[in-house]
Amino acid sequence: VVESWSFLDTVESNFRPLVVIELAKGTKEETIEWFTKRIVDKKANGGAQLLIKPLLMEDGVENIYLVGASHLRLLLGAETVGLVKECSDNSMRAFTYSSRKTFKDFADDNHNFLTMAECQYIIKHELENLRAKNEKMIPGYPQVKLYPGKSIVRRLLTSGILVQIFPLHDREELKKLRHSWYGRVKVGYQPLDDIRCYFGETIALYFGFLEYFTFALIPMAVIGIPYYVFAWEDYDKYVMFATFNLLWSTVILEVWKRICAILTYRWGTLLMKRQFEEPRPGFHGVLGINPVTGREEPVYSSLKRQLRIYLVSLPFVCLCLYFSLYVMMIYFDLEQWALDYHKENESNVSSLMLYVPSIIYAVVIEIMNRIYRYAAEFLTSWENHRLESSYQNHLILKVLVFNFLNCFASLFYIAFVLFDMKLLRQSLATLLITSQILNQFAESLLPYWLQKRYNRRMKKRMCSQKTDRDLSIAEQVTLEKEMGTYLGTFDDYLELFLQFGYVSLFSCVYPLAAVFAVLNNITEIYSDALKMCRVYKRPFAEPAANIGVWQLAFETMSVISVVTNCILIGMSPQVDALFPDSKMDLVLTVALVEHLLLAIKFIMAFVIPDKPRDIQMKLAKLEFESLEALKRQVRSFQMQL
Amino acid sequence: VVESWSFLDTVESNFRPLVVIELAKGTKEETIEWFTKRIVDKKANGGAQLLIKPLLMEDGVENIYLVGASHLRLLLGAETVGLVKECSDNSMRAFTYSSRKTFKDFADDNHNFLTMAECQYIIKHELENLRAKNEKMIPGYPQVKLYPGKSIVRRLLTSGILVQIFPLHDREELKKLRHSWYGRVKVGYQPLDDIRCYFGETIALYFGFLEYFTFALIPMAVIGIPYYVFAWEDYDKYVMFATFNLLWSTVILEVWKRICAILTYRWGTLLMKRQFEEPRPGFHGVLGINPVTGREEPVYSSLKRQLRIYLVSLPFVCLCLYFSLYVMMIYFDLEQWALDYHKENESNVSSLMLYVPSIIYAVVIEIMNRIYRYAAEFLTSWENHRLESSYQNHLILKVLVFNFLNCFASLFYIAFVLFDMKLLRQSLATLLITSQILNQFAESLLPYWLQKRYNRRMKKRMCSQKTDRDLSIAEQVTLEKEMGTYLGTFDDYLELFLQFGYVSLFSCVYPLAAVFAVLNNITEIYSDALKMCRVYKRPFAEPAANIGVWQLAFETMSVISVVTNCILIGMSPQVDALFPDSKMDLVLTVALVEHLLLAIKFIMAFVIPDKPRDIQMKLAKLEFESLEALKRQVRSFQMQL
């Protein structure tokens, strides 16, 4: 029914499919016609001015559409979303169509000036900003209401008419990327710039952080090895190791900010102006006037949200924390009971019984984490945050606090209540190693295997001899639309965060933790890369200037680790022996050292600039230029008088 | 010689003197002619396009000039400096001449649209931005070199040809301000908006902070009184008082940020764009190209500056700190010696001798502070900072650290080494009260008295019967040019900072400190107001969006006070008695409570938003509007295609 409408160019050969739209099966003709009309309509008429083509699938059902855009349209869209690109003089500037000639590699016939990920981001932005004009409802679905200014795509998504929108993979590019990323075993850096070109800044920053963090852990691992090899137990060596760790962790977190600034400056996102945030799709409320935009949109009282947060969510989180502690106490009781049982009737069965409580506890922790995650997501979306960013922050905070307690409470209990360093070391090692193995399996290898099996089955059904490259668009879409959706970097960062906790919180008890972390992270890079390239649908690129709230989370962890390490060192028998006369002196010394370390940490964080000097200079130069331009404008106006 | 040149309007009656320029006596005619020509020249010719008039003094010497500007020129200048004014729809916007009609109270004949302080700020800005074109030197002074782009006024100032530039008082306005500010004894707020209109935002913010801080201390003072009256010594009451104090001090500092945002939003400085900072007058270096501006200017290696800071300044400051501690130890030795002497031969003379060490120490502290201040200023200017702000930050840091140690070291020593709470309370009271009295005297009353004497003498010499209002401009200038120069809010904030230290660091030992602080601050408001209105030359208004580095200083002090108060409470005999069996438990409990309090502090600082909701909304609205305007621009361009 629908042909490739276009007003800017109608040459069929120019159409390059970028984004796939899947409508629900049986969507009414009327709706499809209206929706596609809006997508191709001129900007002046309130359309998105994109290109759209129906995709004829084998089974004859016509519910999948390919969206593309003309080269010119994409360049204008790049200006709208505020993309920052490199100029011929190597400075970074916001792209504008009128100044396009000054940009590096720009040529009217160079269709690679914008990366495919950028094109897809622009199309996503244009689709999401396709807004209702005077429509009161989606044509064909009177129950799905619209109001002027409401994003049509978001409404279609929440009502289920639109199943999904996802960007297409570029099989050639992906193959190249796979090869340079994990295709050969090599020592060296990841191709971060290529990853960014293909997957966007958020994901590239995650891999950048993962790589940086792995390199940063190497000194700790190297220093940690002799402690294990020579079984050093001297207190002074532990103190040195812990002190090094604490200062090192501050330094690496500060230096990361600088590296992050270098990366995002090169990628243009450091300079990118924040777009005005629209309400998130799930946000609901009484229709009112937004005081900021003056537009009609759902309004929800901030007081009500605060009440929900403080009167429901907060108590619920506290209850969950309490429950987690309670479960932990049951675990210790079980452990004790198993030990007693083993002592009473010593047998093979009873010695096996010794492991049962740990296994049960590990399983229960995992189950609790999952259930809690759902509860947290439910609660946070019930809190009805207007902005996606605010939703994310509240969700991350809830999950972080619970995961932190759930994973580390037993270790804290062993360390500071039972005072059993042997058991602490043993539990730490078990928890760290098993969690790493489980994670890698559940996160990448299992989905990879499932995906592979599905692919094989699909390919067999379609045409058995074809290689990857010869797949038609229809076949590619059929394969990709069934792939899992990558839900963002949250879980990946969470894993790193917990690992950082295992490494730093009790580093003076188990120096080998850093070694395991390094080994894990090296394989993690590969398995995460595999996951991104093979398992999931291509995600939309998302510009990011830093790792956001995770920087704060890691910094908080490093502050907590100062406290725990100081206490652990203070409790070690070697240090104890140094103060034979007075326990008081010991405690006071430990407290003094702890405060000094904390003070040094804060001073270091304050003294190390967040951005390297040359980035600072470049930013200052841009600011200066824009001020000068403003002044020139004023001056030229004055001269006219 | 010089007449009132003007190209925009030459009507003599329009000339309103705003700023006074005093040249050195005997400045060459050639120089004066060149300088005044540059000041009145058109913008297009690189002039400042202001009005200037020589002032004929009684003694016939012609070295004083009055500078003014036409109404139109001031409006254009307001756009250049980026003033933010209120629009008719109550929103705040950057003033532009082309949109002038949309601003509240704007009328072409309303010459009060800009306050006098704003006009003077604009003139100062224009004078300072009067730059050398092709002149290689100041005409008439071949030894005073210039290079293209060098600020002429700054060069004239550093070479001594220009003695001073200062804004004139407005006798009528000042009288009104004086009356509403401190003219009548009243309970109520200061007229902050009037202060801001007359003296500018920096000074108004200081008085705002002083007032806010005084009000914030009242609850602490009220709660503190019964401790003194009923001589409460129960530990639980002290603990409650200290806990209240610690949380309260966090709250007041966070709330101040919000109040500050409200004030500066109303005054327009919250939205004001930061101007590009030019090098400070004292900055020197080899002539090179500034990488940011591309202009020719002195360049000084950042590495050299870092070396000077870390290899000279830092060790010097440490040495001074050590010296200050050394002097403190001598004081305690002297004290001991005086006590011994008094015990051996008890007499009237010997009991008087008991006070000698304290007096000597107080005097020495004062002398050391003064000498150190000079040394810090010398060192910081030797570090050769390019920017005034960076110079100020380094100076403030140096002075703060030393003053903190100098003032509180003896108290720390008494509290944590001698464990003498009686002596601590006594020293604290003595130090607090004497420093307050001394400060008020030295800072305001003495200069006021000196100024009054000078004024009387001058007036007598000029014309004995005239009242203030009838003074001619010449007489007014003669009086004002000899007044002292207000050197900024540094000393005033420092005084408040030390007072905050006295109140919070040992609050659980001496709850009455807050009472004295409140009493002092009430009189401080009056004496500072007197100082501003009567003693000093009118200072140039300086826009400010917050109290800058002082916020950080106060927050740091409140963190330190958590530590000291926890230790003090832990050391009190009442708390001691609660843990009869084990000192260990006591220390651990205290450490735990301290960490909890610190954690609560940080969480509170994180949770309380820095800006009130309505200010956030207004800022968001402005941001949204500018984004929309940008989009409209892009869209209208797209429609042309």
Side-chain angles (χ1 to χ4, degrees), chain B residues 30-31 108 123 133 143 170 202 217 221 237 256 294 385 431 629:
Chain B
E30 173 187 10
T31 315
D108 278 321
I123 287 183
K133 290 183 295 188
Q143 78 281 11
D170 180 337
T202 306
L217 283 177
K237 294 209 179 86
W256 165 248
H385 294 274
L431 269 174

Side-chain angles (χ1 to χ4, degrees), chain A residues 44 76 79 97 274 276 291-293 310 552 584 587 594-595 617 620-621 623-624 627 634 637-639, chain B residues 44 76 79 97 274 276 291-293 584 587 594-595 606-607 617 620-621 623-624 627 634 637-639:
Chain A
L76 293 171
E79 179 168 350
Y97 187 75
R274 214 160 46 86
F276 182 78
V292 172
T293 60
Y310 288 108
L552 188 67
M584 271 290 278
V587 176
E594 186 222 326
H595 282 86
M617 296 291 261
K621 195 170 175 177
E623 204 192 322
F624 173 75
L627 280 173
V634 175
F637 177 72
Q638 289 178 2
M639 283 181 186
Chain B
L76 293 171
E79 179 167 352
Y97 187 74
R274 213 161 46 85
F276 182 78
V292 172
T293 59
M584 272 290 279
V587 176
E594 187 222 326
H595 282 86
F606 190 76
V607 168
M617 296 290 259
K621 195 169 176 180
E623 204 191 321
F624 173 75
L627 280 173
V634 175
F637 177 73
Q638 289 177 2
M639 284 183 185

Side-chain angles (χ1 to χ4, degrees), chain A residues 264-450:
Chain A
T264 52
Y265 177 80
R266 196 165 71 210
W267 297 341
T269 44
L270 188 64
L271 292 168
M272 207 163 159
K273 281 232 177 76
R274 214 160 46 86
Q275 297 280 318
F276 182 78
E277 271 190 285
E278 296 295 330
R280 55 188 295 270
F283 178 67
H284 57 85
V286 186
L287 214 60
I289 300 292
N290 181 321
V292 172
T293 60
R295 286 186 199 148
E296 208 177 14
E297 71 168 41
V299 171
Y300 188 75
S301 138
S302 152
L303 178 72
K304 266 194 205 165
R305 187 178 307 125
Q306 298 284 334
L307 286 178
R308 284 184 173 190
I309 292 176
Y310 288 108
L311 296 185
V312 180
S313 296
L314 189 64
F316 176 79
V317 172
C318 292
L319 208 73
C320 287
L321 295 179
Y322 176 77
F323 183 73
S324 152
L325 291 178
Y326 193 77
V327 169
M328 183 193 76
M329 294 315 295
I330 296 178
Y331 155 65
F332 281 111
D333 284 350
L334 267 180
E335 187 102 295
Q336 193 56 46
W337 173 84
L339 215 66
D340 292 347
Y341 181 84
H342 177 65
K343 264 187 200 152
E344 271 174 38
N345 29 0
E346 238 168 283
S347 71
N348 274 345
V349 178
S350 75
S351 72
L352 264 179
M353 285 279 283
L354 277 178
Y355 290 94
V356 172
S358 298
I359 294 169
I360 294 179
Y361 186 51
V363 172
V364 168
I365 279 188
E366 198 57 28
I367 293 173
M368 289 203 307
N369 274 348
R370 297 273 156 126
I371 295 176
Y372 179 81
R373 179 71 180 272
Y374 284 112
E377 274 172 14
F378 174 78
L379 267 183
T380 316
S381 87
W382 177 72
E383 282 163 18
N384 202 11
H385 294 275
R386 191 177 160 273
L387 299 181
E388 184 64 29
S389 60
S390 143
Y391 171 84
Q392 286 295 338
N393 286 343
H394 276 86
L395 180 63
I396 290 181
L397 188 67
K398 283 196 190 72
V399 175
L400 268 194
V401 170
F402 185 77
N403 272 272
F404 181 84
L405 202 83
N406 219 6
C407 292
F408 299 122
S410 64
L411 297 177
F412 275 95
Y413 188 79
I414 296 172
F416 305 125
V417 181
L418 303 182
F419 299 116
D420 189 340
M421 291 305 126
K422 278 253 165 68
L423 184 60
L424 177 62
R425 200 172 300 178
Q426 193 186 313
S427 308
L428 187 60
T430 319
L431 270 174
L432 177 65
I433 295 165
T434 50
S435 80
Q436 288 182 349
I437 291 172
L438 275 176
N439 260 323
Q440 299 234 349
F441 179 74
E443 199 191 297
S444 310
L445 301 180
L446 186 67
Y448 176 64
W449 179 72
L450 290 174

Side-chain angles (χ1 to χ4, degrees), chain A residues 484-579:
Chain A
T485 305
Y486 180 65
L487 292 173
T489 48
F490 184 93
D491 288 297
D492 297 316
Y493 277 116
L494 183 61
E495 201 186 323
L496 273 187
F497 173 75
L498 295 176
Q499 184 192 69
F500 184 57
Y502 287 122
V503 172
S504 63
L505 283 178
F506 308 97
S507 69
C508 61
V509 171
Y510 191 55
L512 218 55
V515 179
F516 286 107
V518 169
L519 291 178
N520 174 70
N521 287 358
I522 291 171
T523 56
E524 176 92 21
I525 289 175
Y526 287 95
S527 68
D528 278 353
L530 188 74
K531 180 175 86 177
M532 292 310 306
C533 295
R534 288 285 199 175
V535 178
Y536 289 124
K537 270 192 214 83
R538 183 177 190 169
F540 275 108
E542 206 54 62
N546 50 53
I547 60 172
V549 72
W550 292 105
Q551 182 81 37
L552 188 67
F554 276 80
E555 281 167 8
T556 310
M557 181 71 95
S558 91
V559 168
I560 297 174
S561 70
V562 171
V563 181
T564 53
N565 277 293
C566 284
I567 303 178
L568 282 177
I569 289 178
M571 281 176 4
S572 73
Q574 294 89 352
V575 177
D576 229 31
L578 278 185
F579 297 88

Side-chain angles (χ1 to χ4, degrees), chain B residues 210-360:
Chain B
L210 176 57
E211 179 178 280
Y212 170 77
F213 189 62
T214 309
F215 276 109
L217 283 177
I218 287 177
M220 278 156 88
V222 168
I223 298 178
I225 288 173
Y227 285 81
Y228 178 76
V229 175
F230 304 117
W232 283 345
E233 294 280 338
D234 318 343
Y235 96 96
D236 53 346
K237 294 209 179 86
Y238 270 116
V239 170
M240 271 172 53
F241 184 69
T243 313
F244 170 77
N245 258 12
L246 299 176
L247 299 182
W248 183 242
S249 67
T250 310
V251 172
I252 61 175
L253 290 176
E254 287 300 312
V255 173
W256 165 248
K257 281 192 215 158
R258 296 164 67 91
I259 291 180
C260 192
I262 296 176
L263 286 176
T264 53
Y265 176 80
R266 197 166 69 208
W267 298 341
T269 45
L270 188 64
L271 292 167
M272 208 164 161
K273 283 232 176 74
R274 213 161 46 85
Q275 296 281 317
F276 182 78
E277 272 190 285
E278 297 295 331
R280 56 188 295 270
F283 179 67
H284 56 85
V286 186
L287 214 60
I289 301 292
N290 181 322
V292 172
T293 59
R295 285 187 198 148
E296 208 176 14
E297 71 168 41
V299 172
Y300 188 76
S301 141
S302 153
L303 178 72
K304 266 194 204 165
R305 187 179 306 126
Q306 298 284 334
L307 287 179
R308 285 184 174 190
I309 291 174
Y310 288 108
L311 296 186
V312 180
S313 295
L314 188 65
F316 176 79
V317 171
C318 292
L319 207 76
C320 287
L321 295 179
Y322 176 78
F323 184 72
S324 152
L325 290 178
Y326 193 78
V327 168
M328 184 193 75
M329 295 314 297
I330 294 177
Y331 155 65
F332 281 111
D333 284 351
L334 267 180
E335 188 104 293
Q336 193 56 45
W337 174 83
L339 216 65
D340 292 347
Y341 182 84
H342 178 64
K343 263 187 199 152
E344 269 174 41
N345 28 2
E346 238 169 287
S347 70
N348 275 343
V349 178
S350 74
S351 71
L352 264 178
M353 285 280 283
L354 276 178
Y355 289 95
V356 173
S358 297
I359 295 169
I360 293 178

Side-chain angles (χ1 to χ4, degrees), chain B residues 589-602:
Chain B
T589 312
V590 169
L592 189 71
V593 169
E594 187 222 326
H595 282 86
L596 274 182
L597 281 174
L598 282 178
I600 293 174
K601 261 183 89 75
F602 281 108

Side-chain angles (χ1 to χ4, degrees), chain A residues 39-82:
Chain A
I39 288 176
V40 297
D41 226 359
K42 278 191 193 183
K43 268 280 181 187
N45 301 339
Q49 211 163 320
L50 301 172
L51 310 174
I52 191 165
K53 255 180 78 173
L55 186 68
L56 267 170
M57 304 297 278
E58 276 179 25
D59 49 7
V61 185
E62 205 181 62
N63 65 333
I64 289 179
Y65 293 83
L66 299 174
V67 181
S70 70
H71 184 52
L72 176 61
R73 181 71 195 85
L74 288 173
L75 290 178
L76 293 171
E79 179 168 350
T80 314
V81 299

